[in-house]
Amino acid sequence: PHAGQVESKNEAAMSELVPEPRQKPVVPMKPMGINASLLGYIGIDTIIEQMRKKTMKTGFDFNIMVVGQSGLGKSTLVNTLFKSQVSRKSSGWNREEKIPKTVEIKAIGHVIEEGGVKMKLTVIDTPGFGDQINNENCWEPIEKYINEQYEKFLKEEVNIARKKRIPDTRVHCCLYFISPTGHSLRPLDLEFMKHLSKVVNIIPVIAKADTMTLEEKTEFKQRVRKELEVNGIEFYPQKEFDEDLEDKTENDKIRQESMPFAVVGSDKEYQVNGKRVLGRKTPWGIIEVENLNHCEFALLRDFVIRTHLQDLKEVTHNIHYETYRAKRLNDNGGLPPMTVETEENHESNL
Amino acid sequence: QQPAQFSNPETPGYVGFANLPNQVHRKSVKKGFEFTLMVVGESGLGKSTLINSLFLTDLYPERIIPGAADKIERTVQIEASTVEIEERGVKLRLTVVDTPGYGDAINCRDCFKTIISYIDEQFERYLHDESGLNRRHIIDNRVHCCFYFISPFGHGLKPLDVEFMKAIHNKVNIVPVIAKADTLSLKERERLKKRILDEIEEHGIKIYHLPDAESDEDEDFKEQTRLLKASIPFCVVGSNQLIEAKGKKVRGRLYPWGVVEVENPEHNDFLKLRTMLITHMQDLQEVTQDLHYENFRSERLKRGSRKIEDEEVNKDQILLEKEAEVR
């Protein structure tokens, strides 16, 4: 479906600078109003099943980035989200690791499978962010990486002989970890989100939420939401991209009540009431990661994986990528970059 | 304890100076104690809550917490609040020096300047008073102890922590504290404590060392001192809220999964921190006087003697200029 959409948009984007509101993905046609009643069963609805089968066979890419100061539980949370050791800190993690002196970008890919569906998951970690004494512009390497992935995709796209399926390394989702101070956002949080919400889908999460009581959590969330609003930061799901009323209602609820999700991560299991649960053990009780009374991890998981995964990819492709592309084309004088198959020409044309 | 033969004041040979400690004690009680505690750490690490819990009071009744946008332009401030606490006739005049803004900015290069200047100013003032003619009412505003708050969310010390502690460890007694300890399991705490101690040693940071118990102290006290020394840095939880737990009201924090009790030694090191502070207040003051202040004083006087010569030269020049004006 992706290739088809891009073709039609090429013409559109060349004349406008602003990307059009994104088109709906290809769906089976509704019965036309005129010939309302079908004389028999045709089987058009099986298209959904065909699409499903195709997706299962080809699998899909999902690239998730985690950003936040060291120690906020980023790696643990990603492992918990995908119920596998997928973060940078899974294979032979050395706990004695030092904080790097500059921001590093580390991408680790895994293929995980569930119910016959294969996902090529890439987790992009950003160690060193926010940990220095002087953190000015520490978001620049991150912005650079994100743009580089758009550039890579663009180059593939404008090729004369294109690959059937362009490998997608673009960042679909950026989880930004907020420190659970209980006070407010930090200046660095604002600066990062201001700059990056324009190029990538940002989902702010409150890390290590087991440090706050229920009242503290509610108050903090409210204050953070207000600060984000006052500073004009549009986090995912962005208001302007709600497709229809149904989306808007659902997303409004998430934006105004649930987000930012206050989460707790863990890869250890404990026995609670006869069940084995993921949690954290303390002298005063066991914190259950998937218990909605304890924290909002389950909400984050359902949101990112079970309901909005495809949408995250679509917004990345149809909005953020298109914005990048349009800008690149404009910088090039409105002409599509000419390409010949060879590697050297790639550099000079773009 | 007085030797047996002199227990009776009427006994010949009894001089009575053994009563001196009691006299000192009485005078101290009458005079009261002064103590200045500086509190340093990023916003949101639980500093104010902990101070309020330690001294069972509310030192910050009209507090407004600034938002992130406000913090962008702010520099580090120094705010001192003094409170008089009395317990069983003993008066304590406690000054808590806060440093809001520390560690908040995106660029924290200049974080410490204000704080170091403040510490030096107090030393300077004391030096000046001590050298003055009338020394009856010298007020001691020198910082006797600095609680440095380390984040429980990290994996150890941050670059800022290391740089700051190295900049002040020759000026003030540093007591590293980890607040919001209920964010860590017991195992995580041990790991964090060890990591921090290793890093402190690695970087040559001098923190306050509790003196070993004297050999003539009783076993309980010796054991207590050993326990305290082994628990540094203290992992504490602060709260002044009363929660119902196991049938009684305790100070703590109520979570959906249980209650964290501030004064339960199995939950955190709060009691240890409080004991350490109270039993070592005297020692903290002494070390400030005998070590940090003396360091400052000798440095200052060495510099000062050179400075005075320059000043005298200037004075002659000023006199000449003034004479020229008059003429």
Side-chain angles (χ1 to χ4, degrees), chain A residues 1-10 153 157 162 317 322:
Chain A
H2 283 172
Q5 281 176 307
V6 169
E7 304 261 34
S8 59
K9 274 183 144 330
N10 256 335
F153 197 87
E157 221 183 35
R162 290 201 290 221
H317 180 69
E322 287 300 319

Side-chain angles (χ1 to χ4, degrees), chain A residues 71 133 135 181 186 216 227 280, chain B residues 68 103 108 153 183 188 253:
Chain A
I133 295 181
N135 291 309
T181 60
R186 310 182 71 225
E216 289 167 349
E227 273 193 299
R280 287 173 59 69
Chain B
C108 291
F153 309 126
T183 219
E188 288 165 345
R253 289 170 61 71

Side-chain angles (χ1 to χ4, degrees), chain A residues 225-236:
Chain A
R225 270 198 295 267
K226 185 116 189 295
E227 273 193 299
L228 291 174
E229 191 186 322
V230 160
N231 285 284
I233 294 171
E234 278 260 38
F235 52 85
Y236 177 87

Side-chain angles (χ1 to χ4, degrees), chain B residues 23-41:
Chain B
Q23 295 178 33
V24 171
H25 175 87
R26 249 202 304 273
K27 277 210 180 244
S28 311
V29 168
K30 272 177 78 175
K31 196 169 128 198
F33 295 94
E34 275 177 328
F35 194 78
T36 301
L37 171 67
M38 177 177 261
V39 172
V40 184

